[in-house]
Amino acid sequence: MTERSNRPDRVAFVGFGEAGSALASGWGDARPTDLRAYDIKMETPATRQALIDRCAEHGVAGQTSLASALRRVVAVFCVVTADQALAAAQAGAPLIAPGTLWFDCNSCAPGTKRRAAQLIEAAGGRYVDVAVMSPVYPKRHHVPLLIAGPHSEAACATLGALDMRPNHAGAEVGRASSIKMLRSVMVKGMEALTAECFLAARRAGVEEEVIGSLEASDPDIRWRARGAYNLERMMVHGARRAAEMKEVALTVDELGLGGRMAAATAVWQELISDLGEEPGADDLYARADLILSRLPPLTR
């Protein structure tokens, strides 16, 4: 089959936040002819218009019901928050046509993905475990993807026809998710450690000494720049990261290792996200001061 023959002509997004917008804005000549999106925020009058406007900005037909979004589509990109992935599969399964590829791009525990797969497969769909392995901006549809599950070959052919960047991770649903989840123990955990270390150092008035010691121990890391970046990630994306890290904790717990570090990371991510999304100046101390000015007293 040619690449063009693998390209789906009717595609739907379930969820249309940052990830969905990034993919839709990246597709050029590979763009599906019928591209739709449904987001649960469209059911609320206060948030509906903003979602409809976002869809229009990216040339996507916004749908006010999940049923209309999924009618006769051949591929679905499920890009909701991690805590809503299973609910999205439950709602979408009765509405999809037989053979529909359900790309579950959410950052979920392998067990959560396997439960979602059972729902989609029982309805005649083809479930695909997708792990998005870097921020969607600036790469957009070229963001690296890990693909797992029994339909991986067909999934990779379809994604390739959409000019995307899939890599096969195995035939078992949950394998791609495991790689993403366990990587996040380190990536998001370092963000949380950054917050606890530098906020405490700033409040104690020993930030220069702490950074100097870190630079002496590990000079390959630009600690000021990295710290400012990590705090910005938590301020802007902490809510989504917290939901992901709760799934990471579940992943580690399912492996018999408790998941305590991941659970603590989720707490820090959620805490800083709740302070507001405006990250302020691109400077470690300015961001630390902004967070400390908003942070309520914390005790164990």
Side-chain angles (χ1 to χ4, degrees), residues 105-161:
C105 303
N106 305 296
S107 298
C108 299
T112 304
K113 291 217 168 182
R114 284 189 284 269
R115 288 191 290 274
Q118 290 174 351
L119 294 167
I120 298 299
E121 296 285 334
R126 294 182 290 170
Y127 181 92
V128 185
D129 174 14
V130 182
V132 181
M133 298 304 292
S134 76
V136 289
Y137 287 106
K139 295 180 180 180
R140 302 177 192 263
H141 69 304
H142 286 162
V143 64
L145 305 172
L146 291 181
I147 308 300
H151 308 292
S152 294
E153 184 175 345
C156 287
T158 296
L159 294 173

Side-chain angles (χ1 to χ4, degrees), residues 1-7 157:
M1 296 179 69
T2 66
E3 184 173 283
R4 183 173 294 275
S5 69
N6 287 320
R7 187 180 305 164

Side-chain angles (χ1 to χ4, degrees), residues 15 39 43 54 59 71 88 116 142 167 188 194 236 246-247 259 265-266 297 299-300:
D39 193 293
E43 296 186 4
R54 180 184 296 165
R71 186 175 298 117
H142 286 162
N167 288 289
K188 275 72 172 185
T194 294
V236 176
K246 290 173 184 176
E247 291 289 315
T265 296
T299 57
R300 286 194 299 164

Side-chain angles (χ1 to χ4, degrees), residues 5-72:
S5 69
N6 287 320
R7 187 180 305 164
D9 55 353
R10 293 184 301 277
V11 173
F13 288 104
V14 175
F16 201 68
E18 183 181 45
S21 300
L23 295 180
S25 65
W27 285 323
D29 294 339
R31 185 184 184 87
T33 55
D34 182 349
L35 190 56
R36 315 169 193 170
Y38 165 81
D39 193 293
I40 196 170
K41 291 182 179 179
M42 289 179 176
E43 296 186 4
T44 303
T47 54
R48 180 182 301 137
Q49 192 58 50
L51 262 297
I52 291 175
D53 291 345
R54 180 184 296 165
C55 288
E57 177 186 350
H58 296 292
V60 177
Q63 306 293 310
T64 56
S65 74
L66 182 59
S68 60
L70 298 184
R71 186 175 298 117
R72 297 179 61 243

